[in-house]
């Protein structure tokens, strides 16, 4: 069965600092992995997705994530935080099977300090 | 290009009533997905429709149902409302399932309908 764990429900960084949001997954078959962002009072927006091609995935707004099979991780990073990055971030996993379900992590709220 | 739209923005119902939520996908998109974002439970996949057919559903009871119309818009119906159904219901659309795995499609989300059950 697939599952996803996001470590840290709230992360706070200074503007210009590195952003690191952690995501670990569990899947019995090669997974598809996603990061979504939800700005206040808005729906979700796809940041990036891993679909078994390159292990380092680049997304929008300067974010990227690296798929590490040995660590079952898919951490999200951004070299330099911007105030506009303040939002809730969700990691999600879906198995590459016809069952076609998606499981979301509990979310990490990112705050940016001036 | 208009994004995914949902109506109403807010909906207040009492326990036992029925709620109907509506979603209009981006023009040209054939797949519509419904999600529930409840406090304490996180974001959960509810239903997926494509070309008018229900393709998959999450772990929700049968009182959560819906349909997709010929113009690809969709309705989510929740019968016999319970207090714990209070949540933000998000709709998303995509171009259509990339066989065999629809969730690799990029999904575009609407702003959601906030359902409050009293």
């Amino acid at each position: 069965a697939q599952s996803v764990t996001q470590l840290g429900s709230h992360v706070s960084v200074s503007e210009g600092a590195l952003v690191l949001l952690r995501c670990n997954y569990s899947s019995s078959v090669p997974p598809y992995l996603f990061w979504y962002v939800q700005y206040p009072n808005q729906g979700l927006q796809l940041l990036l997705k891993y679909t078994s091609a390159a292990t380092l995935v680049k997304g929008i707004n300067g974010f990227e994530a690296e798929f590490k099979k040995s660590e079952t991780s898919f951490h999200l990073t951004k070299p330099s935080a911007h105030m506009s990055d303040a939002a809730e971030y969700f990691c999600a996993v879906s198995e590459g099977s016809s069952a076609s379900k998606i499981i979301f992590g509990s979310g990490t709220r990112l705050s940016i300090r001036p | 290009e208009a994004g995914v739209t949902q109506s109403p923005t807010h909906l207040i119902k009492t326990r036992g009533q029925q709620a109907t939520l509506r979603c209009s996908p981006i023009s040209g998109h054939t797949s519509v997905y419904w999600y529930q974002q409840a406090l304490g439970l996180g974001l959960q996949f509810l239903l997926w429709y494509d070309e008018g057919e229900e393709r998959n559903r999450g772990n929700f009871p049968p009182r959560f149902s819906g349909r997709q119309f010929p113009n690809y818009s969709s309705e989510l119906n929740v019968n016999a409302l319970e207090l714990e159904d209070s949540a933000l219901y998000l709709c998303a659309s995509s171009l259509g399932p990339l066989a065999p795995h629809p969730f690799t499609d990029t999904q575009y989300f609407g702003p959601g309908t906030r359902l409050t059950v009293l």
Side-chain angles (χ1 to χ4, degrees):
Chain A
Q2 50 185 335
S3 65
V4 60
T5 302
Q6 290 184 242
L7 296 175
S9 59
H10 185 208
V11 170
S12 180
V13 302
S14 298
E15 190 174 18
L18 170 73
V19 175
L20 171 60
L21 304 183
R22 299 178 187 275
C23 173
N24 288 90
Y25 69 90
S26 171
S27 178
S28 56
V29 297
Y32 294 94
L33 295 158
F34 310 83
W35 275 101
Y36 285 87
V37 61
Q38 186 175 30
Y39 297 103
N41 301 314
Q42 293 187 30
L44 272 69
Q45 182 180 11
L46 180 68
L47 272 178
L48 47 82
K49 61 184 177 184
Y50 167 76
T51 58
S52 74
T55 56
L56 181 62
V57 182
K58 294 188 184 297
I60 61 172
N61 301 339
F63 284 93
E64 63 181 37
E66 187 172 6
F67 171 67
K68 292 188 176 180
K69 184 178 178 180
S70 60
E71 299 176 11
T72 61
S73 68
F74 190 59
H75 302 331
L76 181 71
T77 60
K78 181 174 179 177
S80 177
H82 192 271
M83 296 300 291
S84 61
D85 295 326
E88 184 124 23
Y89 292 79
F90 294 91
C91 181
V93 63
S94 186
E95 291 185 339
S97 70
S98 60
S100 306
K101 294 186 194 296
I102 188 166
I103 304 294
F104 288 86
S106 54
T108 297
R109 181 166 300 279
L110 177 64
S111 300
I112 312 296
R113 301 187 301 271
Chain B
E1 178 184 277
V4 176
T5 59
Q6 293 186 243
S7 63
T9 306
H10 293 90
L11 188 57
I12 299 175
K13 294 285 185 179
T14 55
R15 201 168 45 181
Q17 285 188 314
Q18 179 196 40
T20 299
L21 289 64
R22 296 180 178 82
C23 172
S24 291
I26 291 171
S27 177
H29 286 190
T30 65
S31 278
V32 171
Y33 309 80
W34 287 95
Y35 297 87
Q36 182 196 65
Q37 189 173 23
L39 204 61
L41 292 177
L43 189 62
Q44 298 182 81
F45 164 66
L46 248 172
L47 288 160
W48 165 39
Y49 291 94
D50 183 69
E51 296 285 359
E53 300 284 332
E54 180 182 304
R55 301 294 184 179
N56 209 345
R57 66 183 292 133
N59 295 326
F60 282 84
R63 58 190 187 83
F64 287 85
S65 65
R67 53 181 173 167
Q68 186 177 33
F69 299 99
N71 65 355
Y72 302 111
S73 67
S74 177
E75 231 174 49
L76 173 68
N77 294 295
V78 188
N79 294 319
L81 284 165
E82 300 178 1
L83 296 178
E84 50 265 35
D85 296 334
S86 294
L88 179 68
Y89 289 83
L90 295 169
C91 171
S93 73
S94 70
L95 279 170
L98 293 174
H101 197 272
F103 286 107
T104 54
D105 285 349
T106 295
Q107 296 183 29
Y108 296 84
F109 283 78
T113 293
R114 172 88 45 199
L115 173 64
T116 302
V117 183
L118 303 175

